[in-house]
Amino acid sequence: MIAERFSLPSAFRNLPAFLMMVFVLPLLAGCGYNTIPTAEENAHAAWSEVLNQYQRRADLIPNLVETVKGYASHEKDTLDAVVEARAKATQITVTPDTLKDPEALKKFQDAQAGLTSALSRLIAVSEAYPDLKANQNFLALQAQLEGTENRIAVARRDYIEAVRVYNTGLKTFPGVLWAATFFRGNKPMAEFAANESSQTPPVVKF
């Protein structure tokens, strides 16, 4: 009875833990505790935008191929190369979970580069067909493809920057302390190759 009389209500027993959360959590935030997970989420979001823009390009290609085929059906090798490159590019996917695998990212890059090359050859072939270059559907595809290439370049650049921030946070103070304690499972993300050609969208002229 005496023990029960002097025992604190459950709300009061939890008070020290509550007070600790109130005071400690802001300190953790102020010391950069949230920096690593925030940077990681930003990099994942940037990568999602890269995928969105590459998918946008892939969605344009069937219509583009059909339009060219209507005016240059005998350019079969070039048309088939674009179709095959598109199939390969869409088969290779890199999820946020595999962004830490440089080999997986390289395969993705190589497949997308192959598609870019095939599209460039198709565009070059179209120069020999004035009627094709004047076709309204073709002109609309030109504008969409050109805009998409620009969006790809921007999305890729934003991803490169987001990964730089995340990877730097894992190596520098105070992030290196959190990486060694609370975020031991966090590994550097693979970097998108950022050469001069990747930063400049290909010129799309029909």
Side-chain angles (χ1 to χ4, degrees):
M1 293 294 292
I2 295 176
E4 292 179 359
R5 182 178 302 173
F6 287 99
S7 63
L8 293 173
S10 58
F12 287 100
R13 288 200 301 269
N14 294 331
L15 185 59
F18 175 76
L19 291 175
M20 182 175 291
M21 291 178 60
V22 169
F23 288 105
V24 172
L25 289 181
L27 289 175
L28 290 177
C31 292
Y33 175 82
N34 290 326
T35 300
I36 291 176
T38 299
E40 184 177 32
E41 287 304 314
N42 288 341
H44 288 172
W47 179 249
S48 294
E49 184 60 19
V50 170
L51 294 181
N52 287 340
Q53 297 308 327
Y54 274 126
Q55 185 59 51
R56 178 187 174 91
R57 181 174 72 169
D59 291 343
L60 289 172
I61 290 173
N63 196 8
L64 177 65
V65 169
E66 287 303 314
T67 301
V68 174
K69 189 183 296 183
Y71 290 84
S73 58
H74 56 283
E75 302 284 356
K76 186 176 184 303
D77 290 345
T78 303
L79 292 167
D80 287 347
V82 172
V83 173
E84 291 172 8
R86 178 187 183 274
K88 183 177 180 181
T90 54
Q91 286 172 358
I92 299 176
T93 58
V94 177
T95 66
D97 292 334
T98 54
L99 278 177
K100 296 166 186 175
D101 182 355
E103 185 176 346
L105 186 58
K106 185 179 185 307
K107 288 180 180 178
F108 177 86
Q109 285 183 253
D110 290 344
Q112 295 296 338
L115 180 53
T116 299
S117 178
L119 281 171
S120 296
R121 290 194 296 272
L122 181 63
I123 291 167
V125 164
S126 71
E127 291 292 331
Y129 301 90
D131 291 343
L132 171 61
K133 291 167 61 179
N135 179 271
Q136 291 301 312
N137 187 40
F138 199 63
L139 292 175
L141 286 169
Q142 172 193 2
Q144 293 180 60
L145 185 58
E146 194 171 37
T148 299
E149 293 292 356
N150 286 326
R151 291 187 183 94
I152 287 172
V154 171
R156 190 166 47 203
R157 182 194 64 201
D158 290 346
Y159 171 73
I160 291 169
E161 175 61 16
V163 168
R164 185 194 68 78
V165 171
Y166 170 74
N167 288 348
T168 301
L170 293 178
K171 301 174 185 176
T172 57
F173 185 85
V176 67
L177 299 179
W178 303 120
T181 53
F182 292 97
F183 303 109
R184 290 182 180 178
N186 287 62
K187 303 298 180 184
M189 290 186 185
E191 297 181 5
F192 219 119
N195 52 44
E196 292 182 5
S197 61
S198 73
Q199 295 301 299
T200 305
V203 177
V204 182
K205 292 182 180 180
F206 296 100

